[in-house]
Amino acid sequence: DVKEYLEKHNLIYTPHFISKGSTGLEFTFDFQIAYRKKEIVIKTFNTLNKKNLVNFLFSWDDIRQTRTKLIGKEVMGLAVVNDENKEPKQDLIEALQSRGSNVLYWKRREEVNSLK
């Protein structure tokens, strides 16, 4: 569904994006979108829970430092959260936002602010 969404909006992306972080570990993100001055790594969450949230925050933070130095661009994290059948817990959303990650609620994906 996310792939179709990206294609519908003519976004050029890399699926299954792999990047090495400052720890030397490699991490895989569902998608990556590169712009001239920034890069967005995307992780999709069918169900957002504490375990997969912590994994994403660690991996994004680890590659962010390395990628910023390597490519000279801002590296942003985007969590695409499926809220179609169940609202995610607010404390988990707040944890993402407190670490600087952007959040896209799947039900709101076509709103103007979501597309930005």
Side-chain angles (χ1 to χ4, degrees):
D1 291 343
V2 175
K3 179 181 173 185
E4 290 173 11
Y5 173 80
L6 296 172
E7 290 178 358
K8 174 183 172 184
H9 293 284
N10 296 314
L11 295 168
I12 299 170
Y13 61 90
T14 301
H16 309 292
F17 178 71
I18 300 170
S19 182
K20 187 179 281 192
S22 61
T23 58
L25 299 172
E26 287 187 346
F27 299 98
T28 303
F29 297 87
D30 297 318
F31 302 95
Q32 177 254 16
I33 300 173
Y35 295 97
R36 293 177 95 196
K37 296 185 180 189
K38 69 180 176 182
E39 174 177 281
I40 303 171
V41 291
I42 301 171
K43 175 66 179 155
T44 59
F45 295 93
N46 195 37
T47 302
L48 184 62
N49 59 50
K50 195 182 287 187
K51 183 178 178 181
N52 59 22
L53 170 119
V54 170
N55 288 339
F56 168 66
L57 289 177
F58 177 81
S59 58
W60 169 53
D61 187 56
D62 194 39
I63 71 144
R64 179 172 38 176
Q65 299 167 25
T66 304
R67 298 256 338 138
T68 298
K69 288 178 187 175
L70 181 67
I71 63 174
K73 297 180 184 180
E74 176 186 10
V75 179
M76 302 173 64
L78 175 63
V80 178
V81 180
N82 183 355
D83 60 341
E84 291 282 327
N85 299 318
K86 182 180 177 185
E87 289 293 318
K89 292 182 179 178
Q90 192 58 36
D91 62 331
L92 299 177
I93 297 298
E94 290 171 3
L96 285 165
Q97 294 170 333
S98 75
R99 293 296 187 179
S101 176
N102 294 295
V103 177
L104 172 65
Y105 292 96
W106 191 243
K107 284 197 289 191
R108 299 182 208 159
R109 67 190 175 274
E110 296 300 337
E111 293 178 9
V112 174
N113 289 337
S114 295
L115 294 173
K116 290 180 182 179

